[in-house]
Amino acid sequence: MSYKIFCLLVIAFLLISVVPVIAPPGPQPSSPSGPTGSSSSSSSRLPDLDSFIIQVQSWKDYQKDKFEVLQKMLYKPAYTSVNYTTPDVWLNWTSNRTINRTDSIKIEAIIQDLNPKEIRRAQYLTLEIQEPGESKFKPVANAAVQIIQKNDYIADGNTTRRVFPEVNSLRFLKRVGEVKFRVSWTDGEYPLNSSREGEYSGLGYHYFPVLVLKVKNIPPRINNSTMNVYPNPARWDGFMTYSASFEKRGQVQSASHDGNGEEEINTTIHVYDEISTTEIFTQTERFRGNDVVIFSTRNQKIFNENDAGKNFTYRFSCTDNIKGGPNTTWSELKPGPSLKRSAKIIVAQPSGQDAEDQNNYWWHKYHFSVNVKAKDPDIKDVQVTLRTNTPDHPGQIVASPNNPLKLAVTADDYTTFEFKDVTPFNVLDCGKNYSYYFEYNVEDEMGNRTTDLINGGMINGRVLYYTFISFEVVGNLLALLIASLLIGVLLERSIFRKGGV
Amino acid sequence: MSLAIIALIVLIGMAVGGAYLHKNNMDNIYQKVMDRIPKSSNNDKDHAIDMKKDLMTMMFTHQGPNFNALVISAWLLFIVAAFFSFLLTPQLSEGLVYLKIPELARFSLGPMLFALIPLIFGIIFVVGLRVPRVYGYYIIPIQLKKAMMATWLLPFAAMIIPVYLATIFPYPNSKSFLINISFILLAFSLFMLLSPIFFEAKGTKP
């Protein structure tokens, strides 16, 4: 019993003696008297410093192995900022280094900092560009400064990557050619840039101290299949629009450098004469790449009265004004517009109908008429031609001594051109729809020389004009019967009588 | 196959069959006669041909001018009626018909002009094949002769039907059966005109 009590006392003593060793350095709550932790503490359970030193000295002298283990456990190596080394930065690029200006790109930096975590510093990265024809680097205007914090390092603990997300294409370039990128950075003390480094491929990627890209331009191009002029034909003073759309360029269709989406394209409409030798009109406007190109005569007069009746051709040209490469394209030449002739006459009330009844038999006589008045005082007479239209006889001139009909016209009153008792159809038109129109030798108000097709209805399907009980049928049948009998008698008498042949 | 094509095949078959049976009839008669004559040393080929000609001459019996004239007329009317039945309205073809020829359809005597074609063809047929002479080789009983002399009524009736249909063309489906009556009348009239040949071939007396 007394042995057990003795052992407990020894263990208690040892525990009490170890506490000051593992306690954090510095003043202890229980020792407000200062770092010396001087004695006299009647309330403290800790041994005084002298005792502890004696104790440690005794461990050092007599328990060397354990003392060394304890010493290693408590050792913390000293560090200093004197050996701080500046980090390295490269640019990562894994794609083809020849790209189009509008291609989508991703520029990424890799940062390697070999300093201990304790002395690492935040890095402030700025992407710089040397544009074609320039001799100095400058910060990319819309690229924000990227900050690498001390705890951003990944992989082996010394490297990290950072993308410059704002730079997703090189649309902002106004000149194409060789473009150089580098990263300038600072840790607050040293201003540095990546171009001081050598190439690095430590992680299996290509990292460049200076990234050199060969940038080409795809000039804007009009989609030929979308070109259109409307209306066509048109009056010389009518409202016309030329329209087209651009072909899609590159992969990035938005978020251009200026933040306005597609960049602006100078587009010009060129109007030529019919054989495309003389340019009679040009006009340039600015459009964005996803706009519909529209030029109209709303605010711009293109043609004059002398152009009435003529045909024209047109095409577009467009440019993005990017220097250092091709920047202008031309669309194909297309015909249009065809301008209607100026109105010389006014045409009204074209009509046509069965003149005998409403049955529309093909053998019936028909009556057609149209009213014409001069609009141009110089027009003294007009020639009008009547045409009918059936599936078997399209655009047929109606046979009549009065067709075409030429009459004098005045500007005061209408003159009626009448085609009376004409028989425009034949048996092949039975059961089919017919239409008709009038043709004249000068232009009407619409600039046309014909009226529109006017539907006349269906021609009756009945074929023969005579009925079964009629002189024609009875006469024909009797004639055939008599003819057959007579021929029989004649042949018998002349050839077969008395044996004949 | 439309009824018009079937009718055409039947009529052509009857005509070809009649021609074949007529030749067969003549050969049979000649053979029967030759069987009764003892063979002589002059029985060579030229002699046989002469014999046949002589026999045909001896067999020939004139059927009378009225019979010949009416049978010729009946044949002509039959050919015209057949022409009308198939070609006046669209039966065999939609295009090659009388009603599609504007000049004929517009003209009052259009059917008569249209019939000139089969009439000319009929005259060539009657004269070329010596149709009345063919009847001279057959013994035609008086009753059959009378019936044949009245045969022209059949093709004439057959001719009236397509003319009627043409005057109401496009005719309703309910009247399309009329043209079949015309075909039947044509077949019957052809049978009547060839009846002496058929009866002789069958070996029966009408």
Side-chain angles (χ1 to χ4, degrees), chain A residues 110 155-156 159 161 200-205 207:
Chain A
I110 183 167
D156 58 356
T159 60
R161 298 184 201 175
Y200 173 79
S201 59
L203 295 178
Y205 298 99
Y207 296 98

Side-chain angles (χ1 to χ4, degrees), chain A residues 415-475:
Chain A
T415 302
T416 300
F417 287 71
E418 287 185 301
F419 301 87
K420 285 185 173 178
D421 298 335
V422 293
T423 50
F425 309 115
N426 71 29
V427 68
L428 297 179
D429 301 321
C430 284
K432 296 169 184 170
N433 268 316
Y434 82 93
S435 52
Y436 61 94
Y437 60 98
F438 298 93
E439 224 173 44
Y440 14 88
N441 60 343
V442 289
E443 288 67 40
D444 63 13
E445 279 185 304
M446 303 302 293
N448 297 327
R449 288 195 169 193
T450 66
T451 61
D452 292 334
L453 269 178
I454 303 157
N455 184 23
M458 180 176 280
I459 300 168
N460 198 299
R462 190 172 156 191
V463 175
L464 295 182
Y465 68 88
Y466 40 79
T467 59
F468 183 63
I469 307 298
S470 65
F471 173 77
E472 285 85 355
V473 170
V474 174

Side-chain angles (χ1 to χ4, degrees), chain A residues 385-411:
Chain A
T385 305
L386 169 64
R387 287 180 183 266
T388 54
N389 210 47
T390 61
D392 289 303
H393 303 99
Q396 179 172 264
I397 297 178
V398 174
S400 166
N402 292 327
N403 191 20
L405 183 59
K406 191 171 187 177
L407 295 175
V409 295
T410 65

